[in-house]
């Protein structure tokens, strides 16, 4: 990848132009970073205490009824965002929906295990596990294939 930087005091605003042959996951990540208007922090509640949680610290988000929680190595925290809001704002190269009620951090996953009825058991590095429903397995495979390096 070639990077050009043009610093000129005559420029009235910053403009970023990307010339590419195709949209790759790396370019998608750059675009998401450039378009990001918020911080990488989520506020999670543990009783009366509020904690600032970095996206990368979250193993997964789960919804049970009207309550959405973020599971981290430090514990489970209630968050105010709805699951669909998190899905739209979290970096797509890091988080993926694995079921109707769970969004998981790809970098926190350890391995997969086939389960009953065609579902996948997703094991996390922390030792926890969640189940990926059949509906989302194709997307998981697609994302994992995109994240793999090409061999030459």
């Amino acid at each position: 990848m070639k990077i050009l930087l043009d610093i000129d005091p005559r420029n009235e605003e910053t403009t970023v132009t990307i010339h590419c042959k195709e949209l790759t996951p790396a370019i998608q990540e750059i675009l998401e970073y450039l378009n990001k208007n918020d911080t990488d922090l989520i506020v999670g509640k543990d009783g009366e205490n509020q904690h600032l949680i970095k996206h990368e610290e979250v193993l997964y988000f789960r919804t049970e009824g009207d309550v959405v929680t973020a599971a981290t190595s430090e514990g489970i925290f209630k968050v105010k965002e709805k699951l669909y809001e998190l899905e739209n704002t979290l970096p797509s190269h890091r988080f993926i929906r694995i079921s109707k009620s769970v969004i998981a951090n790809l970098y926190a996953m350890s391995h997969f295990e086939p389960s009953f009825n065609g579902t996948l058991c997703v094991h996390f590095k922390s030792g926890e596990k969640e189940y990926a429903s059949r509906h989302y397995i194709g997307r998981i495979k697609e994302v994992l294939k995109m994240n793999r390096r090409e061999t030459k």
Side-chain angles (χ1 to χ4, degrees), residues 70-104:
T72 71
S73 60
E74 302 296 317
I76 296 178
F77 303 93
K78 289 182 185 178
V79 297
K80 66 177 181 172
E81 293 86 355
K82 301 290 184 197
L83 212 58
Y84 72 89
E85 295 171 332
L86 290 166
E87 187 174 26
N88 290 332
T89 58
L90 291 168
S92 62
H93 69 277
R94 179 177 285 276
F95 289 91
I96 186 167
R97 174 87 67 143
I98 64 169
S99 70
K100 191 174 178 182
S101 59
V102 177
I103 297 174

Side-chain angles (χ1 to χ4, degrees), residues 42 44 53 58-62 68-72 75-79:
I42 295 173
I53 306 168
V58 177
L59 304 173
Y60 57 85
F61 293 93
R62 178 192 294 138
V68 178
T69 57
T72 71
I76 296 178
F77 303 93
K78 289 182 185 178
V79 297

